[in-house]
Amino acid sequence: MKALDEIRILDMTHVQSGPTCTQLLGWFGADVIKVERPGVGDATRGQLRDIPDVDSLYFTMLNHNKRSITLNTKDETGKEIFTRLIQECDVMVENFAPGALDRMGFSWEKIQQINPRMIYASVKGFGPGPYSDCKVYENVAQCAGGSASTTGFLDGPPLVTGSQIGDSGTGLNLALGIVTALFQRETTGKGQRVLASMQDGVLNLCRVKLRDQQRLQRGPLTEYSQHSEQIEFGDTTPRAGNDSGGGQPGCILKCKGWEADPNAYTYFIAQAAAWKNICDVIGRPSWKEDSDFATPAVRLPRLGEVFKAIESWTMTKTKYEVMDICNPLDIPVGPILSMKELSEEPSLRDTGTIVSVEHPERGSYLTVGNPIKLSDSPSEVERSPLLGEHTDAILREVLGFGDEEIASARSAGAV
Ligand code: COA
């Protein structure tokens, strides 16, 4: 038994944001029916291919635990089949360009008429407003949501991050919206519309920067290294390099081997509560009582000097040694782990955070598993479907089609 065993999802998603949402629901046990255009499919099947004519890792890693049906939802027979699927499903998820489903003839009003219990969930780049018609990809959302303007170094251009906060982050928001709507449907008996905009999702994750925007009106952001470097603040939250976004100062510091290894670094948080231990570890015991260093307030303008001293210690240790020494002393540190190191980390395999999956055309590959662990709803990662692999099975099981109806849908070019 899995948490969403009884739930059937009509998955009209493509690329990344929508597929991450429906994959998550699939991991929790929902029956996810991915609808794809006959002969074409999700564009990511063919993007960034590493093996000719085989579904890309981009596609496979976003579409586990789903079944694929090909269906032309612009064709008359296809529309009839699509209408039947809407009747049989609990949730419809889509992340097409704004208005695409309306153009197909399936507005929210129409969907409600077909199935009043249907939850209709969408990802869009922007919410209602001047940009609501725009097509949006990950980096556009990072830029429009406040992430890029606050990421990078003070003397450099805005930067996008490798975390897909616009796509996968918004997919996560949408999944929460869907299960919340399912929960409310238990009481009301009615479906509802769920909208997650990528700009909203990124801005929501950047809330500490909006906090700092307001703090700026009352004075300098004293925990920013810019402050200890005596560089004046402007009127907008600046890029803060690797400074910590919280109340405890932090920095990325070199570790042993940094000259040759681009990831021989550690994040080091000079947490106030651990200050005495930090002084002992780095060989500056006198700083414990020194009136220039003893309290967080007097350290703030000297953070550059503090981190330089800590770095001269971390450079004598590997990032793993720093972790081993600091953790027992309650000093929060984090090694900079490469994708290679993460993919080889046994503990992540043990918990199912990284799993190896067997695919009939590409062999085995690594992917991320469900990052949310439920004690009573185990998640197994099942390979992504081939294009249209389950068309017949879905038409038979979900819609009760017989051989003749399937043959006629095929000859009409609808599936
Ligand atoms: N049968 C028939 N037609 C289908 C179909 C099917 N099964 N599935 C999709 N289509 C059609 C759509 O109806 C649409 O047609 P239309 O333009 O005539 O209305 C068309 O295929 C393509 O849709 P679109 O969403 O415009 O694709 P795109 O490749 O041009 O744009 C995005 C891609 C991601 C930019 C855009 O979908 C978007 O902005 N989505 C919302 C934000 C988002 O999720 N972005 C993150 C993506 S990771």
Side-chain angles (χ1 to χ4, degrees):
M1 164 96 198
K2 293 192 182 155
L4 298 180
D5 264 348
E6 302 298 313
I7 301 300
R8 187 169 275 153
I9 312 279
L10 187 52
D11 181 8
M12 300 289 291
T13 67
H14 67 158
V15 203
Q16 184 177 168
S17 65
T20 56
C21 164
T22 50
Q23 176 171 262
L24 201 51
L25 301 173
W27 281 336
F28 289 132
D31 178 15
V32 180
I33 297 175
K34 184 171 174 95
V35 177
E36 295 180 85
R37 237 184 309 176
V40 182
D42 188 326
T44 58
R45 285 188 185 269
Q47 281 175 10
L48 310 177
R49 273 190 173 149
D50 55 330
I51 306 174
D53 304 323
V54 170
D55 285 340
S56 70
L57 283 166
Y58 194 19
F59 176 84
T60 54
M61 292 176 72
L62 290 161
N63 289 286
H64 294 108
N65 300 61
K66 302 181 186 181
R67 301 196 283 170
S68 166
I69 179 174
T70 49
L71 185 64
N72 183 351
T73 51
K74 286 182 172 164
D75 160 281
E76 277 318 306
T77 311
K79 282 185 191 188
E80 282 166 29
I81 295 173
F82 191 51
T83 303
R84 300 265 312 270
L85 284 169
I86 294 174
Q87 283 164 346
E88 297 302 326
C89 290
D90 299 278
V91 182
M92 178 155 118
V93 192
E94 64 91 24
N95 67 309
F96 289 128
L101 267 159
D102 297 63
R103 285 193 289 278
M104 275 179 207
F106 292 92
S107 63
W108 168 223
E109 292 70 26
K110 173 88 184 284
I111 291 164
Q112 274 175 302
Q113 275 169 15
I114 300 170
N115 178 359
R117 285 175 61 80
M118 170 64 80
I119 288 154
Y120 175 28
S122 304
V123 169
K124 293 288 165 259
F126 294 91
Y131 304 118
S132 58
D133 285 340
C134 298
K135 291 192 176 187
V136 168
Y137 283 104
E138 171 69 47
N139 288 349
V140 175
Q142 287 195 24
C143 293
S147 177
S149 70
T150 53
T151 303
F153 287 90
L154 198 56
D155 56 0
L159 270 192
V160 294
T161 155
S163 308
Q164 306 288 284
I165 56 177
D167 279 341
S168 291
T170 308
L172 201 53
N173 288 349
L174 195 71
L176 180 59
I178 289 169
V179 292
T180 306
L182 282 167
F183 189 69
Q184 193 174 4
R185 195 178 72 171
E186 291 297 299
T187 316
T188 62
K190 288 192 309 194
Q192 62 182 297
R193 189 96 167 78
V194 180
L195 172 67
S197 108
M198 294 168 72
Q199 183 187 39
D200 291 5
V202 171
L203 177 56
N204 181 270
L205 294 173
C206 290
R207 73 187 63 193
V208 300
K209 302 298 179 182
L210 184 60
R211 173 201 67 195
D212 293 347
Q213 180 64 39
Q214 295 168 84
R215 288 174 60 224
L216 257 185
Q217 290 161 20
R218 307 198 197 281
L221 306 170
T222 49
E223 77 285 12
Y224 278 51
S225 36
Q226 179 175 346
H227 179 63
S228 58
E229 288 159 17
Q230 292 168 348
I231 302 171
E232 233 182 278
F233 285 84
D235 64 356
T236 186
T237 308
R239 292 189 263 290
N242 290 315
D243 294 346
S244 158
Q248 306 290 344
C251 197
I252 287 189
L253 304 176
K254 290 171 184 160
C255 292
K256 198 174 182 175
W258 66 274
E259 299 90 337
D261 176 356
N263 294 305
Y265 288 81
T266 187
Y267 203 88
F268 196 106
I269 298 183
Q271 193 194 6
W275 178 244
K276 290 190 172 164
N277 286 344
I278 294 171
C279 295
D280 285 335
V281 158
I282 66 169
R284 299 285 179 112
S286 63
W287 275 4
K288 288 191 276 191
E289 310 302 336
D290 188 325
S291 59
D292 278 350
F293 293 94
T295 65
V298 295
R299 281 197 296 276
L300 270 183
R302 297 180 175 79
L303 284 181
E305 190 182 346
V306 167
F307 281 119
K308 236 182 184 35
I310 298 173
E311 188 172 60
S312 56
W313 174 74
T314 58
M315 282 167 72
T316 67
K317 310 280 177 230
T318 68
K319 61 190 177 187
Y320 296 108
E321 287 167 345
V322 170
M323 184 91 168
D324 291 344
I325 294 168
C326 290
N327 269 331
L329 300 172
D330 286 335
I331 304 170
V333 291
I336 308 304
L337 296 181
S338 67
M339 277 299 140
K340 183 169 185 297
E341 287 165 322
L342 287 165
S343 59
E344 291 165 357
E345 171 57 46
S347 66
L348 295 177
R349 301 291 184 97
D350 293 345
T351 56
T353 298
I354 291 187
V355 291
S356 175
V357 178
E358 210 40 51
H359 187 278
E361 292 181 342
R362 71 164 35 256
S364 69
Y365 64 95
L366 285 187
T367 190
V368 290
N370 193 344
I372 304 167
K373 320 287 196 239
L374 265 59
S375 66
D376 209 15
S377 182
S379 285
E380 294 95 22
V381 179
E382 290 162 16
R383 72 163 173 86
S384 59
L386 303 176
L387 179 60
E389 184 177 347
H390 306 98
T391 302
D392 288 10
I394 291 165
L395 292 174
R396 276 180 217 285
E397 282 166 31
V398 182
L399 303 184
F401 274 32
D403 291 343
E404 240 170 70
E405 280 166 296
I406 293 177
S408 112
R410 250 188 227 299
S411 63
V415 297

